[in-house]
């Protein structure tokens, strides 16, 4: 069994429950299984072997039923700060300030049971407030981001190596020009 598989993490959580409530491990496994919607530990174990991303297991371990939801938890503000840091040069060329994530739409998810790294591919719009005293240049960016997260045992955190990779960056002004050109207006 791999160290970060849902079954391994489920057992680890049951061990912590057993220790915290002074229970036998077998009792803690059954308690956690029942809280997760299984009849008993052996049913949870059988499902974990066949379908490790079963929503009941994910809910028991991570508190979410779909791994794409991981980007919306406590790590969301860290993602926002990381994007601000990575896009600081592009932001400086705009006439806007107070940039933040406007939309974050995950579409592909890959969880590595060996490393515990969750990779979430998402479409992102990152927008700021326009400075009305300056000529309009750009107030938003659109791009695809590969967000790498790690479960620290209590919550998702940004991975220490290459937490966010940005691809296909386009400003709102660039997008408007491209769409006008494609429509034959330029």
């Amino acid at each position: 069994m791999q160290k970060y598989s849902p079954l391994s993490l489920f057992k680890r959580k049951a061990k912590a429950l057993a220790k915290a409530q002074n229970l036998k491990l077998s009792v803690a496994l059954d308690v956690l299984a029942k809280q997760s919607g299984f009849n008993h530990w052996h049913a949870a174990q059988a499902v974990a072997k066949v379908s490790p991303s079963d929503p009941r297991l994910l809910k028991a371990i991570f508190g979410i039923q779909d791994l794409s939801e991981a980007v919306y938890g406590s790590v969301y503000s860290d993602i926002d700060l990381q994007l601000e840091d990575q896009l600081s040069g592009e932001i400086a060329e705009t006439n806007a300030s107070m940039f933040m994530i406007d939309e974050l739409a995950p579409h592909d998810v890959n969880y590595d049971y060996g490393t515990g790294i969750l990779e979430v591919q998402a479409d992102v719009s990152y927008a700021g407030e326009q400075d009305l005293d300056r000529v309009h240049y750009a107030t938003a960016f659109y791009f695809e981001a590969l967000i790498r997260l790690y479960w620290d045992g209590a919550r998702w955190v940004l991975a220490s190596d290459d937490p966010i990779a940005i691809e296909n960056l386009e400003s709102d002004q660039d997008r408007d020009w491209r769409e006008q050109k494609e429509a034959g207006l330029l």
Side-chain angles (χ1 to χ4, degrees), residues 167-182:
E167 301 172 352
N168 305 319
L169 180 68
E170 183 176 47
S171 72
D172 56 344
Q173 186 178 48
D174 293 337
R175 181 178 272 189
D176 290 346
W177 287 345
R178 179 181 48 80
E179 289 173 355
Q180 288 178 8
K181 187 175 179 180
E182 288 172 358

Side-chain angles (χ1 to χ4, degrees), residues 66-86:
D66 182 342
L67 288 175
S68 66
E69 298 171 12
V71 296
Y72 299 121
S74 59
V75 73
Y76 189 84
S77 60
D78 295 333
I79 293 170
D80 193 47
L81 290 172
Q82 181 71 28
L83 289 174
E84 180 180 17
D85 186 51
Q86 287 189 11

